Amino acid sequence: MKNFSGRIIITIFLLSSFTFLRGQDFRFALITDTHVTKDSLAYNDLVRSVNQVNSTPGISFVLVTGDLTEEGDGESLQKVKDLLDKLNVKYYAVSGNHETKWSESGATDFGRIFGSERFKFTHNGYTFLGFNTGPIIRMMDGHVAPQDITWLEKEFLQAKAGTPFILVTHYPLLDGDVDNWYEVTDLARKYNVKAILGGHYHSNRLVFYDGIPAVINRSNLRDKTDNIGGYSIYEVNNDSILVYEQKIGRVPRKWGGYDLNKVYYTEDNSSYKRPSDSVNTVYPKVKPQWITKIGNTIYSSPVVYDGKIYVGDDTGLLSCLSLKSGKHIWNFKSDNKIIGTPAASDHIIVFGSADKCIYAINAITGKLVWKYLTEGAVLGAVTIDGGIAYIGSGDHTMRAINIKTGKLKWEYSGIKGYIETRPLIYDDKVIFGAWDNNMYALEKETGKLLWSWNGGLTRMHFSPAAVWPVAAHGKVFFTAPDRVLTALDAETGKTIWRTKESMVRETIGLSADKTRLYSKTMQDSVVCYSAVGSEPRKIWSVNAGYGYDHAPSMPVEKNNVVFGSTKNGIIFALGADTGKLLWKHKVGNSLINTVVPLNGRSCLFTSGEGIVGLLSIQDK
């Protein structure tokens, strides 16, 4: 009875607090950054918000703007949906980076559970457009996929002239948050976009995205200052869009808004910051020999085999290109995203897809050889050794499959997290990390577990899962998001040494003579350590001037040159012996995946912008 009376008091309190809103066009709620896990206080915070929205009169709909979960898993997403379904009004949701970066489904669970990765609806003359700002699996800046920009443009063009739009994203469309923010803002400024709404920063802020009014909203999580959760309430009328902070059980507090009759921007973008490629004038001999636009975001590295290049993209398309010219030869379409890097051998190319299948394709004709169905999205990169493909999946399983027959040799499913890395074959072992804090070693012939290593990691997000491990001199080397370079005994899995001296993250490469390790730090520098000995020994460190970077793109040595790449379109080359910077070149402003050097003067690359290219030193 006491709880029931309390609810009546709160409802009366909220009714009285909104009496001044009579006559306004409409109101809606915005809930963001709920960060629900399988069992957490965050879920209880969302319960309170749902209950309060339901007890508040006049709410027309609810926007849910990303980071619904902490780990992007299907169970947590379903839990959030089941709760949101209890809202008395319709709701519209977009995903956040926690649904796309850490996702055993390859970021497909969100669309499956919520019905779509985008939304469009019209209310009282306003058209609302919500879309994903990524990134998918890779650690990089947010990114709006080319196909989503095409969709956005189509919706703008199809609308009646003068239609007012409100865009809904998770990431702020700002430099440093979304790598191709300017593609969206330049498009949006051609139309009547009244505001862009979202979250990510866990705080209330009024900002402008290249002149376009925007609102960043507080997290639904309880504040550290008063231990109270909350969300936002918007009211829209003929003159303004106003935003209120609604803490649970409190009077809503108006804190910002915009004049809907004011012209804030024009199409002209000359006064807004844009990425600079001035570094290319410093090294003018380094140029693309050719560039091919795939048109869809690419999160895997190129594969070179028999004079051809094979590239997978996030629409599920495997493209075969000419190494010489970059021209298309054939395409093969799987039913969902290709995240992991393929591998080729014996005229067969093997790759995994988020459609839960492993594919083998004839490398010459592009025809299907076989398809193997798994229980989860196949996100892992492929390693082929002795006619056997080794590949990990979102169903927490590592598999060994005969590449000619498609017959399963063995599978190991005692893994607690999903797999995205490329497995390492070393001393008759299959070595790989997973998103469960562990590094594993399986017997190559049987798949039997030989050892696993945890290292005392406490958060899933610190797992050595994105890095491609390397091995030499009886040691396995890797880096993880905990910014530690680790060496393990390859036979036992015991720690030999760990160092946080250089603050490296998720990148590692091995020299051709197997004596040196290369890794990127998160700010400008590349470091080189000895792969020999029982203690960490730094050989050199160089400031490569690439800025802040956390992309899991591996350094690769070829002909005594170390090639590397970054999250913002830069490819660089260093002298392997000394670390001397040889050159840098900017090919865009998005993630460059692990490059493939052809020799000491050229390398192939793929980009989040959907391009494949051959970069080289050109003397003429």
Side-chain angles (χ1 to χ4, degrees):
M1 177 64 83
K2 183 178 179 181
N3 289 339
F4 179 73
S5 300
R7 286 197 295 272
I8 291 176
I9 291 170
I10 290 174
T11 300
I12 293 172
F13 175 72
L14 291 170
L15 277 167
S16 63
S17 70
F18 277 110
T19 55
F20 66 94
L21 292 176
R22 278 186 229 154
Q24 308 299 339
D25 283 2
F26 64 96
R27 297 202 312 276
F28 63 90
L30 185 150
I31 299 172
T32 191
D33 294 274
T34 58
H35 289 276
V36 168
T37 61
K38 295 170 186 175
D39 181 23
S40 67
L41 284 173
Y43 180 79
N44 296 328
D45 290 335
L46 184 55
V47 169
R48 293 184 179 97
S49 292
V50 168
N51 289 341
Q52 182 149 311
V53 169
N54 285 341
S55 66
T56 303
I59 298 296
S60 299
F61 56 86
V62 176
L63 301 178
V64 186
T65 65
D67 279 5
L68 286 67
T69 67
E70 179 67 12
E71 297 179 357
D73 59 288
E75 182 179 340
S76 296
L77 281 167
Q78 188 63 56
K79 192 173 183 179
V80 172
K81 183 181 185 297
D82 291 344
L83 181 52
L84 291 174
D85 284 347
K86 296 179 180 179
L87 286 164
N88 293 336
V89 294
K90 198 162 184 179
Y91 68 89
Y92 305 87
V94 293
S95 59
N97 55 295
H98 278 254
E99 280 79 57
T100 58
K101 168 62 186 88
W102 297 281
S103 170
E104 64 187 21
S105 74
T108 62
D109 272 346
F110 184 89
R112 176 181 61 82
I113 291 170
F114 287 92
S116 178
E117 294 181 354
R118 311 172 183 137
F119 66 71
K120 171 194 174 182
F121 69 95
T122 299
H123 187 85
N124 281 25
Y126 286 81
T127 295
F128 289 75
L129 300 174
F131 52 95
N132 181 17
T133 48
I136 308 296
I137 301 299
R138 301 290 177 253
M139 181 59 76
M140 56 183 283
D141 290 343
H143 180 74
V144 182
Q147 57 268 35
D148 285 332
I149 294 175
T150 299
W151 169 81
L152 191 62
E153 184 172 25
K154 180 181 177 182
E155 295 298 339
F156 283 145
L157 288 170
Q158 288 181 344
K160 186 182 296 185
T163 296
F165 290 94
I166 293 179
L167 306 187
V168 182
T169 66
H170 174 68
Y171 268 113
L173 295 176
L174 294 169
D175 180 20
D177 287 302
V178 174
D179 57 31
N180 61 339
W181 83 93
Y182 50 90
E183 293 186 82
V184 181
T185 58
D186 282 352
L187 174 61
R189 286 199 319 279
K190 296 177 182 179
Y191 301 92
N192 188 20
V193 175
K194 293 300 186 183
I196 303 178
L197 313 180
H200 189 61
Y201 282 176
H202 293 217
S203 61
N204 293 321
R205 307 185 192 187
L206 294 180
V207 292
F208 288 89
Y209 301 157
D210 291 348
I212 304 171
V215 186
I216 297 172
N217 297 267
R218 64 155 292 160
S219 166
N220 188 73
L221 300 171
R222 60 192 67 189
D223 287 341
K224 293 180 180 178
T225 54
D226 57 17
N227 209 34
I228 300 175
Y231 53 94
S232 300
I233 291 180
Y234 285 79
E235 59 176 88
V236 181
N237 57 52
N238 289 332
D239 300 315
S240 59
I241 178 169
L242 303 175
V243 57
Y244 295 75
E245 180 180 27
Q246 177 62 77
K247 291 192 173 184
I248 303 303
R250 300 286 181 89
V251 177
R253 177 184 66 88
K254 183 174 74 174
W255 64 269
Y258 292 103
D259 184 343
L260 292 176
N261 296 317
K262 182 176 178 179
V263 177
Y264 288 96
Y265 58 87
T266 67
E267 287 189 42
D268 179 37
N269 68 2
S270 59
S271 63
Y272 304 123
K273 180 181 178 181
R274 291 293 180 265
S276 171
D277 61 359
S278 60
V279 66
N280 296 348
T281 64
V282 180
Y283 305 96
K285 289 186 176 182
V286 181
K287 299 175 182 177
Q289 190 167 317
W290 54 257
I291 286 182
T292 298
K293 288 188 176 182
I294 298 297
N296 308 308
T297 301
I298 303 171
Y299 292 111
S300 68
S301 295
V303 175
V304 179
Y305 179 73
D306 196 24
K308 300 180 183 68
I309 306 165
Y310 302 90
V311 177
D313 69 40
D314 78 338
T315 68
L317 194 70
L318 180 73
S319 297
C320 174
L321 311 176
S322 163
L323 175 60
K324 183 177 181 180
S325 66
K327 291 183 178 179
H328 276 87
I329 298 173
W330 53 255
N331 293 326
F332 176 88
K333 188 72 167 64
S334 68
D335 292 331
N336 217 309
K337 300 177 178 72
I338 301 172
I339 301 294
T341 298
S345 181
D346 295 328
H347 303 295
I348 293 173
I349 183 158
V350 179
F351 70 92
S353 170
D355 67 7
K356 301 184 179 181
C357 291
I358 301 167
Y359 291 85
I361 308 300
N362 185 296
I364 300 172
T365 66
K367 302 298 183 182
L368 179 68
V369 178
W370 52 259
K371 180 169 71 170
Y372 185 94
L373 180 64
T374 75
E375 297 296 320
V378 186
L379 309 178
V382 185
T383 297
I384 296 177
D385 185 82
I388 303 296
Y390 301 88
I391 182 171
S393 177
D395 61 2
H396 304 188
T397 302
M398 177 61 69
R399 292 179 173 87
I401 299 177
N402 186 295
I403 66 169
K404 292 185 177 179
T405 66
K407 183 178 179 180
L408 181 71
K409 182 176 182 180
W410 55 254
E411 64 180 16
Y412 178 77
S413 54
I415 300 161
K416 299 175 184 177
Y418 68 94
I419 307 165
E420 70 165 278
T421 186
R422 184 173 70 181
L424 166 70
I425 308 300
Y426 181 73
D427 280 355
D428 294 324
K429 299 176 182 65
V430 182
I431 301 170
F432 60 94
W435 284 107
D436 61 2
N437 292 329
N438 292 302
M439 184 68 66
Y440 294 89
L442 307 180
E443 189 175 78
K444 177 183 168 186
E445 187 62 28
T446 66
K448 175 186 176 182
L449 178 66
L450 298 175
W451 53 257
S452 64
W453 174 94
N454 178 273
L457 302 176
T458 57
R459 294 183 63 201
M460 178 272 279
H461 299 128
F462 288 158
S463 301
V467 65
W468 295 355
V470 298
H473 310 290
K475 296 185 285 291
V476 177
F477 304 96
F478 57 88
T479 59
D482 63 354
R483 305 174 195 183
V484 178
L485 174 59
T486 299
L488 305 182
D489 186 297
E491 195 63 32
T492 66
K494 301 296 183 183
T495 302
I496 296 176
W497 54 257
R498 277 165 62 78
T499 177
K500 205 170 186 176
E501 175 189 11
S502 298
M503 301 290 281
V504 292
R505 176 174 178 147
E506 294 185 293
T507 61
I508 200 159
L510 182 67
S511 64
D513 65 6
K514 303 186 187 307
T515 63
R516 296 186 299 272
L517 304 167
Y518 311 108
S519 188
K520 291 187 299 179
T521 73
M522 293 179 67
Q523 187 66 48
D524 288 315
S525 296
V526 179
V527 294
C528 174
Y529 279 77
S530 173
V532 181
S534 58
E535 299 289 337
R537 182 173 65 87
K538 186 188 292 187
I539 297 173
W540 52 254
S541 176
V542 63
N543 186 335
Y546 51 69
Y548 174 76
D549 189 72
H550 50 35
S553 303
M554 309 304 133
V556 184
E557 181 190 316
K558 186 79 171 183
N559 297 139
N560 215 37
V561 175
V562 179
F563 294 82
S565 58
T566 74
K567 67 180 179 65
N568 289 127
I570 290 178
I571 300 172
F572 58 85
L574 311 173
D577 294 330
T578 64
K580 178 184 177 182
L581 179 63
L582 303 178
W583 54 261
K584 287 190 293 185
H585 188 87
K586 190 172 177 66
V587 296
N589 203 53
S590 187
L591 171 73
I592 304 296
N593 302 293
T594 299
V595 300
V596 178
L598 301 181
N599 49 54
R601 296 169 61 87
S602 63
C603 67
L604 286 165
F605 67 90
T606 56
S607 165
E609 294 178 53
I611 61 176
V612 184
L614 174 59
L615 191 67
S616 62
I617 299 174
Q618 300 177 28
D619 293 326
K620 293 183 180 180

